[in-house]
Amino acid sequence: MSWYRNTVWFVKGLREYTRGGYESASRRFNPADVEVDVAGRSFLVTGANSGIGKDTAKEIARRGGTVHLVCRNKERAEVAKEEIVTETGNQNIFLHIVDISNPKEIWKFAEKFQNEHKLNVLINNAGCMVNNRELTEDGLEKNFATNTLGTYIMTTALMPLLEKAADARVRQQVVLTEQWAKTYRNIHFSVMHPGWADTPAVRSSMPDFYERMKNSLRTEAQGADTVLWLAVSPEATKLPSGLFFQDRQPVPTHLPLAYTHSPPEDEEKLMEMLEEFSQKFKSVSPGI
C-alpha cells in the first residue's frame, strides 16, 4: 500500500509540474496580481542570462523595475541584457559578472554592490545540475558550491541592504528560507518550484528526461510565472514568510510518505556549517 500511494503521488506530482498542470492552475490566477508598476524598486536576479532567470528579469523590466543581472558568462550575459533592453525599452538594466560557485567572488561583489546600489528584491535563481562529481578551484563540490553555499553567501552578504529596504523580498532554497524567515522578520522570504520547464539547464543536464517529456514541458514564461508573482505582487506578502510555492499557491515542502523531513537539529547544524564556510572565504577575499 505504501509503494502504491507513493507511486500515485509521484505520477500526480509529475503531472502538476508539466505544461498541463500550469494551464490548469492558471485558470484561478488573477492577472491583476502582476499588472503592477515597480518603477523605483531594485531587483537582483542571479543566473539571468537564460531560461527562467532571463524571463523573470525581462518581465520585471517591462514593469519598470531596475534590474541587476548577475551572470557567470560575460558574452551570453551581454546578449541577454541587450535583448531585455530592446524588448522592454527599459534602460535601467545593469550587468554584473559573478561566478556563484566561487564564494570569494560573491563576497567581493556584494561588498561593492552595497556601496553603489539599493536592493528591494533578491531572486536567487542561479543553479546547476552537475551529474558527475566536479570540484571548484576551492575544492568544493560544484552543486553544493552553487546551489547552497553560493546562495547562502549572496543572501547573507546582501542582508544589511535588504533590511534597509521597504517591502524587501528574497527567494531561495527551502531550509534556508524557513530558517531565515524566523530570524529576519522585516524581510519576506519565499521559495518556489517552477515545474519542469523547457530551459537550457534541463536540456543539457537531463537529456533523457527532456527527450521523454519535451512535448509536455512548461515554457520558460510559465516556469517563471510564480517567481514574478512572488517578486512583484502585493498579494504574495499577504501570506506568511518562509513558505514554499507552486503556481502561486503555498504547498507542502514534502510529499506524503516521502520520508524527506529533517530534524530541527540537522537544519541548525546546516546553518552553522554554512556560516562557518562563508566566513572562511570572506576572510581570505582580497579587498574585504
Side-chain angles (χ1 to χ4, degrees):
M1 182 62 72
S2 174
W3 173 86
Y4 173 75
R5 286 177 179 171
N6 278 329
T7 302
V8 169
W9 277 105
F10 173 78
V11 173
K12 179 176 181 288
L14 187 62
R15 189 184 309 120
E16 289 177 351
Y17 291 155
T18 63
R19 186 188 308 150
Y22 174 84
E23 291 169 349
S24 176
S26 66
R27 296 188 190 112
R28 59 173 166 75
F29 292 175
N30 181 0
D33 283 359
V34 291
E35 291 173 2
V36 294
D37 183 349
V38 291
R41 286 177 64 77
S42 178
F43 300 77
L44 189 155
V45 185
T46 65
N49 66 287
S50 67
I52 289 171
K54 185 175 75 172
D55 198 276
T56 300
K58 189 182 297 182
E59 291 304 316
I60 291 170
R62 288 192 205 281
R63 290 157 176 79
T66 295
V67 185
H68 296 272
L69 313 175
V70 175
C71 307
R72 180 173 57 88
N73 185 288
K74 189 173 187 293
E75 183 179 331
R76 291 202 296 265
E78 287 176 344
V79 172
K81 176 186 174 181
E82 183 179 350
E83 179 185 322
I84 292 169
V85 171
T86 300
E87 291 192 20
T88 67
N90 188 337
Q91 299 295 321
N92 294 318
I93 312 298
F94 299 90
L95 182 58
H96 310 273
I97 305 304
V98 184
D99 184 348
I100 302 299
S101 72
N102 187 321
K104 295 186 287 293
E105 272 191 33
I106 302 172
W107 277 119
K108 188 175 181 180
F109 158 74
E111 183 76 8
K112 186 172 186 291
F113 188 90
Q114 288 188 78
N115 293 330
E116 298 176 355
H117 305 282
K118 72 169 189 174
L119 182 62
N120 297 95
V121 181
L122 169 61
I123 300 173
N124 288 303
N125 168 76
C128 68
M129 293 185 285
V130 178
N131 296 321
N132 298 315
R133 182 173 172 79
E134 185 178 330
L135 301 181
T136 68
E137 63 181 40
D138 297 302
L140 300 169
E141 194 277 321
K142 194 160 189 179
N143 288 300
F144 167 76
T146 305
N147 303 335
T148 306
L149 182 61
T151 294
Y152 179 89
I153 295 176
M154 181 66 77
T155 308
T156 53
L158 294 175
M159 204 75 81
L161 199 57
L162 287 163
E163 287 194 291
K164 297 175 185 176
D167 188 19
R169 310 186 192 190
V170 179
R171 177 221 157 193
Q172 58 205 49
Q173 302 284 14
V174 174
V175 172
L176 300 185
T177 294
E178 293 172 340
Q179 294 298 314
W180 273 325
K182 296 174 186 176
T183 305
Y184 299 96
R185 300 291 185 174
N186 60 332
I187 301 175
H188 195 270
F189 292 88
S190 50
V191 62
M192 58 80 68
H193 195 303
W196 293 111
D198 190 348
T199 64
V202 169
R203 291 194 292 271
S204 63
S205 300
M206 308 171 69
D208 293 340
F209 174 83
Y210 173 76
E211 283 301 316
R212 290 196 303 271
M213 298 293 296
K214 61 184 178 183
N215 294 325
S216 301
L217 296 177
R218 298 181 177 200
T219 65
E220 292 174 349
Q222 291 171 343
D225 178 79
T226 298
V227 186
L228 179 69
W229 183 81
L230 289 169
V232 306
S233 173
E235 296 302 309
T237 52
K238 292 179 181 178
L239 295 163
S241 180
L243 298 181
F244 176 48
F245 289 83
Q246 180 184 336
D247 293 331
R248 303 192 190 183
Q249 278 196 328
V251 294
T253 55
H254 303 272
L255 291 173
L257 307 176
Y259 305 106
T260 53
H261 295 265
S262 53
E265 55 269 25
D266 284 357
E267 295 183 0
E268 291 171 10
K269 183 66 177 176
L270 171 65
M271 300 300 286
E272 291 171 5
M273 181 195 71
L274 290 172
E275 179 62 16
E276 183 180 326
F277 263 122
S278 70
Q279 292 302 317
K280 170 186 172 183
F281 290 107
K282 181 180 181 181
S283 66
V284 298
S285 298
I288 297 181

